Amino acid sequence: MNRKRVLFLGDSLTQYGMNQELSGFVGLFAHDYQRHADIILRGYSGYNTTMILERIDSILVGIPRTLHLCVICLGANDAAIIGAGTNNDVDVETYTKNLRKLILLMKERETHNIILMTPPFVDLSSSEITPVRTAEHTERYADAALQLAVEEGVHSIDLFSTTDESDLVDGIHFNSKGNRHVYKQLELLIADKIPDMDIANIEMDLPDWKDICKPDPDVVAKAFRTS
């Protein structure tokens, strides 16, 4: 059996997606898909779509050309306020063009399915300094991503409209509640739109050890309660 291959590509929201203390959504996905899919994480804190696109050849080194699923979550940094000082802002028109190029590139690499996740809601109202991001500005990027997904015929998840300040640990990044929400949205979309990637429809890699060794069921029940 050849395992399914799944790539998560994004910024810090994806990079921190393996944070066990915060129930990272990529970690939740990897846990449920163990022995069913190989999960590849490429998350880059602070990166915008231009930075990703300029380095995409290096990012994809060692990653198989054919992927069964690619989850792209970019835009949180692109949506930084112009002139606020982070210097990683990208105007919404360029953001859309960059995302389109990334999608076309992944299609050319024989990616079976693509999910485009919008940047989530942000809340920096409690910051002591002038906020470098606002919900109103970020919403423009979320709307652009959703429209692009329709134009390019790829799947999308609207994280902006389905998250709020209770999902964020610092006004930008997901807390445990937010991460579980992201994973739930992925789970629901896959079950509905990409059934061949549903865990229930993917064969497990190699037989279960109990099918090979034929142990006494009573012994297994007592000694290996989590096996």
Side-chain angles (χ1 to χ4, degrees), residues 116-169:
L116 186 59
M117 300 201 300
T118 75
F121 177 84
V122 296
D123 179 21
L124 296 176
S125 58
S126 62
S127 175
E128 295 181 359
I129 62 174
T130 302
V132 296
R133 294 172 179 81
T134 67
E136 182 181 12
H137 190 58
T138 299
E139 186 174 17
R140 295 179 59 214
Y141 292 74
D143 290 344
L146 292 174
Q147 179 59 38
L148 178 63
V150 173
E151 293 173 5
E152 292 298 330
V154 301
H155 304 290
S156 64
I157 294 177
D158 183 358
L159 293 181
F160 183 87
S161 296
T162 61
T163 55
D164 57 33
E165 60 274 10
S166 69
D167 297 301
L168 307 172
V169 69

